[in-house]
Amino acid sequence: MTVDLSIVVPVLNEQESVACFVDAVTPIVESLGLRYEIIFIDDGSTDATADIVCGLQRNDPHIRLIRLSRNFGKEAALTAGLDFSTGAAVVPMDVDLQDPPSLLCEMVARWREGYDIAFGQRVERRSDTGTKRVTAGLFYRVFNSISGHPIDANAGDFRLMSRAAVDATLVLRERNRFMKGLFAWVGFRSIAVPYERPARVAGTTKFNYWKLWNFALDGITSFSTAPLKIWTYVGGSVALIALIYTAVIVAQTLIFGRDVPGYASLMVVILVLGAVQLMSLGIIGEYLGRMYMETKQRPIYLVKDTAGFPPSQDRADGQFVPRDAVRAAE
């Protein structure tokens, strides 16, 4: 069956949300008159998420399931969904319905007008905590100020992409994935679709501030070398200050016969320089670690099993384990 619209939904321990999502999305997509599929990617859930999706799939041929062999992270799960999608347009969505299904109508309308990407842009985030709103705004400002490929502020993964935009994104097979940055990097004709972000309908978020910090760090290091370059200027500034201070000490000693400052001044200089060196080494280490992961060329994800896909969609392109191989191993 030819598919017009693929909806890609990464899930992790979302047994309370899956059925609600299907009930909310199905009537809206059917009202558009499009042939569609809903692809759930189970990213190593330990609850009944996969079983619930399988139960829904038995009664609804539009539902597909991809089960990854373990938890690879949302970015890898989203990549798996894009790999398996066949629609002329593809929409990644969160299962918690904070990405309003009603927005699909406007996104499809923009796609029919000729836009390759119609991305959801949050104009109001009352459902987020004050801390998260502040840190999110700070991240977008920092990222866009140092990256050569800025991303749209308050735009997440929720967007409609044409098949051309999806195929271009899938050419990028880097292991440390920051999907919002990849979506921006490929370009194509885009338009914002503003919306107010509601609260979750069920379950709890799987992100905490530590994960969000690492996610932001991945994004910055993936799309900018500014953190590396800045230490050239920091080092040059510290060296200049040290040279001036040295000249002052020498002058004082020659003219006034004063001794070099004592223990306290020496310790301050040593600690400051040591801190600068360790910070610079830490930044270099972040980039070096990511280079190390890329050189190993491990697959982005591995598939444990699939359900609801036609046999013709089983592929062996080196990025996932084909279903037949999994069955043979079992």
Side-chain angles (χ1 to χ4, degrees):
M1 181 180 67
T2 304
V3 176
D4 299 314
L5 181 65
S6 297
I7 299 176
V8 174
V9 192
V11 290
L12 173 63
N13 295 332
E14 295 284 0
Q15 60 183 9
E16 302 94 346
S17 306
V18 170
C20 297
F21 178 86
V22 173
D23 291 340
V25 169
T26 299
I28 292 175
V29 179
E30 290 183 345
S31 70
L32 295 170
L34 298 175
R35 293 163 294 187
Y36 69 96
E37 61 182 359
I38 302 176
I39 304 175
F40 289 97
I41 307 94
D42 180 20
D43 189 23
S45 296
T46 56
D47 63 0
T49 297
D51 294 333
I52 292 173
V53 175
C54 285
L56 294 171
Q57 190 273 325
R58 295 188 192 101
N59 300 315
D60 188 344
H62 300 98
I63 294 176
R64 320 267 196 258
L65 172 64
I66 304 168
R67 285 202 300 168
L68 303 187
S69 61
R70 62 169 175 83
N71 177 252
F72 286 88
K74 183 182 178 182
E75 308 299 282
L78 180 54
T79 302
L82 296 179
D83 276 334
F84 275 79
S85 67
T86 59
V90 181
V91 180
M93 295 184 69
D94 288 341
V95 74
D96 56 18
L97 294 178
Q98 287 191 289
D99 298 336
S102 59
L103 214 64
L104 291 172
C105 299
E106 187 172 353
M107 288 181 171
V108 169
R110 297 292 175 266
W111 172 50
R112 287 170 171 165
E113 290 173 3
Y115 288 95
D116 287 288
I117 300 175
F119 59 90
Q121 189 169 47
R122 306 159 189 159
V123 296
E124 193 279 323
R125 302 179 63 156
R126 283 179 295 181
S127 61
D128 293 338
T129 64
T131 303
K132 186 174 181 180
R133 289 196 296 270
V134 171
T135 54
L138 179 62
F139 167 74
Y140 284 115
R141 286 194 294 272
V142 171
F143 184 93
N144 289 336
S145 65
I146 64 176
S147 173
H149 305 281
I151 59 179
D152 295 286
N154 295 314
D157 297 327
F158 182 37
R159 63 191 61 217
L160 182 146
M161 297 180 290
S162 68
R163 173 48 54 184
V166 172
D167 290 343
T169 303
L170 291 178
V171 172
L172 311 176
R173 305 305 293 186
E174 55 211 62
R175 273 63 186 169
N176 291 288
R177 304 184 69 75
F178 181 65
M179 297 304 293
K180 285 188 281 291
L182 297 181
F183 294 149
W185 188 89
V186 298
F188 291 90
R189 190 183 181 202
S190 304
I191 188 172
V193 180
Y195 72 100
E196 294 186 2
R197 187 171 174 84
R200 288 180 64 100
V201 294
T204 58
T205 180
K206 305 306 180 293
F207 277 99
N208 53 41
Y209 285 110
W210 178 248
K211 289 183 178 179
L212 289 173
W213 162 256
N214 286 307
F215 183 61
L217 197 59
D218 283 339
I220 291 173
T221 54
S222 295
F223 286 88
S224 175
T225 58
L228 285 174
K229 293 178 180 178
I230 193 174
W231 289 106
T232 302
Y233 301 101
V234 171
S237 300
V238 171
L240 179 61
I241 293 172
L243 183 62
I244 294 173
Y245 187 50
T246 300
V248 170
I249 292 174
V250 171
Q252 287 178 340
T253 302
L254 293 176
I255 297 173
F256 302 106
R258 295 183 58 184
D259 294 331
V260 176
Y263 175 79
S265 300
L266 182 62
M267 287 303 297
V268 168
V269 172
I270 291 174
L271 291 174
V272 169
L273 291 178
V276 170
Q277 290 171 347
L278 289 175
M279 289 175 63
S280 62
L281 286 174
I283 295 294
I284 295 172
E286 290 289 342
Y287 282 91
L288 184 61
R290 283 158 176 76
M291 290 173 59
Y292 173 64
M293 295 302 296
E294 293 293 333
T295 57
K296 290 193 287 188
Q297 292 292 298
R298 290 177 179 172
I300 298 171
Y301 60 86
L302 294 174
V303 172
K304 178 181 179 181
D305 197 7
T306 60
F309 289 95
S312 60
Q313 273 191 251
D314 285 343
R315 296 174 295 172
D317 59 7
Q319 300 303 326
F320 56 88
V321 176
R323 182 166 40 178
D324 291 341
V326 173
R327 288 175 177 169
E330 293 175 349

